[in-house]
Amino acid sequence: SCVGFRQSHAKNALSKNLVKMMSKAVDALKSDKKVRTVVFRSEVPGIFCAGADLKERAKMHSSEVSSFVSRARATINELANLPVPTIAAIDGTALGGGLELALACDIRVAASSAKMGLVETKLAIIPGAGGTQRLPRTIGVSLAKELIFSARIVDGEEAKSIGLISHVVEQNEAGDAAYRRALALAREFLPQGPVAMRVAKLAINQGMEVRICTFHGSRPEVKLATTIPTKDRIEGLLAFKEKRPPRYKGE
C-alpha cells in the first residue's frame, strides 16, 4: 500500500489538515489485514515534507500549539506502531517534523539530492514528534546530538554514510527514484509469511526498549509461539519440501 502526501501550496508542511489526513490514513491501514507493506511518499516534486507549517503556527495561540504538537506526535507514533513494515521514500526535502515522520518508518530510502535535518533549534525549539528519541536510536547518541545542536542539513549521500537512511539512489527525470527503490524493497518483503512479518516487527520494536537479559527471559519465546500454530508455517514447510514458492495467506 502507498500513502502519498500532496499539499503543494505549502510544501507538504505539517498543517492541521495534513496531520488530520495522515491520522485517517494510518487508522485505515492499521485495521486492513490485506496490507502487507506501506510506502510513504510525497506527490509534490522535490519535497518529502518541509516540517511544521510555520505560517499556520504563527497564527496559533501558545495553548493551541501544544495541543497541535501532541496530535502530530500521536499520529507519528501511530505510524511507527503500524503492524506491517513501513518504508519512507524521500525524493526531496525532509526537515523537522518531515524527518521525524520518516524516522518513524522502519526503513528510509532517499535520493542523493534529498535534503534532511532536524532544524528545530534554529527556531529556538526542539524536535517535538519523536526526533530526540528516534534519531539517537538510528544513528547513535553523539551524532544525533551534533545534528540537532547544529540544525545541520545533510544530503542523501551523507545520510547514507551516517546510517540515517538504508539506501541512496541517484534521482531520475521523473523525480521518483527513491519511491521506485522503496517499491523494489517492498516486493522483497511480499513473499514472506504475513503473520511472521508482523510478529517479527513487534519483537524487534519491543526488544529495542528493554535490556537484552530481560527480553531473553520470555518475550521471544512468546512471539515465536504465536507463529507456530499458523497455517502459513505448515505451508512454508510443505513448500520447502516440494521445492516450490510458498503461498501464504496470513493465517
Side-chain angles (χ1 to χ4, degrees), residues 87-100:
I87 308 169
I90 307 168
D91 272 306
T93 305
L95 300 178
L99 182 55
E100 288 181 297

Side-chain angles (χ1 to χ4, degrees), residues 62-84:
S62 56
S63 60
E64 226 187 326
V65 172
S66 295
S67 67
F68 170 73
V69 170
S70 294
R71 267 201 311 279
R73 187 189 302 119
T75 300
I76 287 174
N77 284 341
E78 288 287 303
L79 185 162
N81 291 325
L82 279 172
V84 295

Side-chain angles (χ1 to χ4, degrees), residues 95-182:
L95 300 178
L99 182 55
E100 288 181 297
L101 194 157
L103 281 164
C105 293
D106 298 315
I107 296 158
R108 284 157 298 288
V109 179
S112 54
S113 56
K115 299 284 186 274
M116 291 156 266
L118 293 181
V119 296
E120 285 85 348
T121 51
K122 269 189 179 170
L123 298 167
I125 54 173
I126 67 167
T132 52
Q133 293 83 47
R134 292 192 181 100
L135 189 65
R137 281 179 165 93
T138 304
I139 65 170
V141 174
S142 188
L143 204 43
K145 285 177 177 174
E146 185 181 323
L147 291 192
I148 290 170
F149 294 165
S150 62
R152 187 180 305 148
I153 294 171
V154 298
D155 64 16
E157 295 291 350
E158 191 177 350
K160 172 73 170 74
S161 74
I162 62 175
L164 178 56
I165 61 172
S166 301
H167 303 276
V168 61
V169 286
E170 282 298 315
Q171 190 54 283
N172 58 25
E173 276 187 37
D176 66 352
Y179 174 56
R180 286 169 187 263
R181 183 68 185 88

Side-chain angles (χ1 to χ4, degrees), residues 1-133:
S1 186
C2 176
V3 176
F5 319 122
R6 189 176 190 87
Q7 276 207 155
S8 45
H9 64 283
K11 297 185 176 179
N12 274 352
L14 287 170
S15 61
K16 287 181 186 175
N17 190 42
L18 188 61
V19 168
K20 197 175 173 182
M21 280 162 37
M22 266 179 52
S23 184
K24 274 188 182 174
V26 168
D27 271 350
L29 290 165
K30 209 169 20 180
S31 52
D32 190 341
K33 289 278 187 279
K34 289 178 184 167
V35 172
R36 303 277 292 274
T37 298
V38 181
V39 175
F40 288 90
R41 69 173 298 205
S42 165
E43 292 173 0
V44 179
I47 301 282
F48 177 73
C49 173
D53 187 334
L54 298 179
K55 286 180 185 172
E56 182 182 83
R57 192 167 290 190
K59 296 170 191 167
M60 289 183 193
H61 187 269
S62 56
S63 60
E64 226 187 326
V65 172
S66 295
S67 67
F68 170 73
V69 170
S70 294
R71 267 201 311 279
R73 187 189 302 119
T75 300
I76 287 174
N77 284 341
E78 288 287 303
L79 185 162
N81 291 325
L82 279 172
V84 295
T86 53
I87 308 169
I90 307 168
D91 272 306
T93 305
L95 300 178
L99 182 55
E100 288 181 297
L101 194 157
L103 281 164
C105 293
D106 298 315
I107 296 158
R108 284 157 298 288
V109 179
S112 54
S113 56
K115 299 284 186 274
M116 291 156 266
L118 293 181
V119 296
E120 285 85 348
T121 51
K122 269 189 179 170
L123 298 167
I125 54 173
I126 67 167
T132 52
Q133 293 83 47

